[in-house]
Structures are given as C-alpha cells and as structure tokens.
Amino acid sequence: GEDVEQSLFLSVREGDSSVINCTYTDSSSTYLYWYKQEPGAGLQLLTYIFSNMDMKQDQRLTVLLNKKDKHLSLRIADTQTGDSAIYFCAETVHNKLIFGAGTRLAVHP
Amino acid sequence: DAEITQSPRHKITETGRQVTLACHQTWNHNNMFWYRQDLGHGLRLIHYSYGVQDTNKGEVSDGYSVSRSNTEDLPLTLESAASSQTSVYFCASSAAGPGELFFGEGSRLTVL
C-alpha cells in the first residue's frame, strides 16, 4: 500500500537539534516534502528536496535523503519553542501527494 | 493577498444529514484537493480536481462528492453524514503538480 511512515512524537530541549525521520514508498517520487502544521492551522510547506539530491540546507533546516533506503530526515538546528508543531513528510505517488501521519515535536526549556 | 478560505470552520450535524463544506481560493490555481485529518492517520486524500469540470477520487472518497464549476471553488459534499466522517477537513490548492500545496485553515466537522 501507499504508506509513508513517521514516528508520532519527539521531545527535545530548547537549543538542541531535532531530527525527524520518515520512510516513503515510491522510489520514483520526484520530490519529497516536509510540511509544518501549527496548532489550529493548516499545513504550510516547510521545505522540499529533489530526488537527485542527497542533502538540502535552508538556514536551520537540513534535509537528508537516502534513496536506497527510501529514508528522508529533517534536522532542525537550535530548536526553539516556536518550532513546536506537527511535521509531515510527503511524497508524490501517481501525481498525488501522500502524507505520513505526522510527528509531533514538543520543545521544552 | 491571494488566499484559500474554508467555511464553515466548525460544524455539528446529525447522522444522515447532507453537509457541504466550502473552499474558495483566489490564487487562480488549477489544482484543488480535499483531505481529511484524523489522529494516527495523517492526511488522507478524499477528492481532487485539476481544472474546471475535472474531478477525481482519492483514497477515501466513499460518501463524499465534489464539483468544480469554476476555478476558484471546490465544495465538498457529504451526501448522508456518518459518525465515521467526524474529522478535520482541509482544502488545498496548487499551481503546478500536487506537491507545493497551499492549505486552508480547516473545517472541523462533528457528526452526532
């Protein structure tokens, strides 16, 4: 089936790095995405990576892609309380976007 | 500024009633999508449209329908609401392809 898998919960201390992991299913996905959902809001595109890349960095965000293992990760450096949210990874399957269940990131002092 | 809006934001209805959730975008995007979000399931695709008069079923389309009579709107109709359709519904749109989606703020539907 079409299952994108993520761990459901991650707790980190403010200032530490957060790493959110995801495994996807379709090796032909051209782009892989990370979306962020803040409480009571819709999802917002955070970053994405093209499938021919293995790393993308954007300020505090680093995306790593391991195509062989179909593994995607999102690293947030210097995690802040404002980073508390649900993070979804998503892949494109048959021209549709398939989301994982989301990882709830809790940042504590 | 261009935006995507959903209404109502909250609705409580009874089993068997017909319910329509509205979605309106001013991005002039061709592609529009409806998802439902449930704990432990993430977002699941209900229906989608790639342009006027085009509609397609997603992975959880049973009990739902959509119509696309113009670029801006994709209303989602629950023909006969069931308790299993209690959920938060998100509408989204994109200019090109399904990946870079712009989401509405969601409609929370409770079916009693």
Side-chain angles (χ1 to χ4, degrees):
Chain A
E2 297 174 346
D3 283 336
V4 177
E5 296 191 353
Q6 304 178 236
S7 54
L8 294 184
F9 188 75
L10 177 66
S11 178
V12 298
R13 191 182 302 274
E14 191 175 8
D16 287 352
S17 291
S18 307
V19 179
I20 302 171
N21 295 302
C22 169
T23 55
Y24 60 96
T25 60
D26 191 338
S27 57
S28 66
S29 292
T30 307
Y31 289 95
L32 295 143
Y33 302 85
W34 284 103
Y35 279 80
K36 178 183 180 182
Q37 184 183 30
E38 296 184 354
L43 281 70
Q44 287 185 300
L45 179 65
L46 195 59
T47 187
Y48 64 92
I49 188 166
F50 190 51
S51 59
N52 69 352
M53 300 169 65
D54 51 21
M55 187 180 86
K56 179 180 179 182
Q57 189 150 2
D58 183 1
Q59 299 183 334
R60 291 190 298 121
L61 305 178
T62 303
V63 179
L64 296 177
L65 175 60
N66 180 330
K67 285 193 71 175
K68 174 177 169 291
D69 295 337
K70 297 181 193 169
H71 184 264
L72 183 71
S73 68
L74 174 70
R75 179 176 179 269
I76 305 173
D78 187 26
T79 310
Q80 302 298 308
T81 54
D83 295 322
S84 294
I86 303 176
Y87 292 82
F88 293 89
C89 74
E91 63 171 337
T92 308
V93 178
H94 303 305
N95 210 30
K96 294 175 290 185
L97 202 59
I98 305 299
F99 288 87
T103 300
R104 182 179 296 274
L105 175 64
V107 183
H108 57 88
Chain B
D1 284 346
E3 59 182 1
I4 180 165
T5 54
Q6 295 182 229
S7 62
R9 295 291 314 280
H10 301 272
K11 185 169 181 68
I12 300 173
T13 191
E14 295 177 339
T15 301
R17 297 275 183 120
Q18 183 182 77
V19 175
T20 296
L21 305 179
C23 176
H24 179 81
Q25 52 99 2
T26 59
W27 296 97
N28 201 34
H29 287 163
N30 283 327
N31 306 326
M32 295 184 74
F33 306 84
W34 274 104
Y35 288 88
R36 59 178 288 175
Q37 182 178 23
D38 303 288
L39 206 61
H41 289 281
L43 273 77
R44 292 180 290 176
L45 184 61
I46 305 171
H47 281 286
Y48 58 104
S49 168
Y50 288 146
V52 176
Q53 302 301 331
D54 175 73
T55 60
N56 305 280
K57 294 182 179 181
E59 60 179 311
V60 290
S61 60
D62 287 349
Y64 303 94
S65 63
V66 293
S67 61
R68 187 87 181 273
S69 58
N70 59 51
T71 301
E72 295 81 15
D73 299 289
L74 187 71
L76 177 71
T77 297
L78 286 69
E79 306 294 346
S80 176
S83 58
S84 60
Q85 294 176 308
T86 292
S87 187
V88 181
Y89 292 86
F90 286 98
C91 180
S93 70
S94 71
E100 296 188 53
L101 299 180
F102 294 83
F103 280 83
E105 294 194 339
S107 296
R108 181 177 295 274
L109 176 68
T110 302
V111 183
L112 300 176

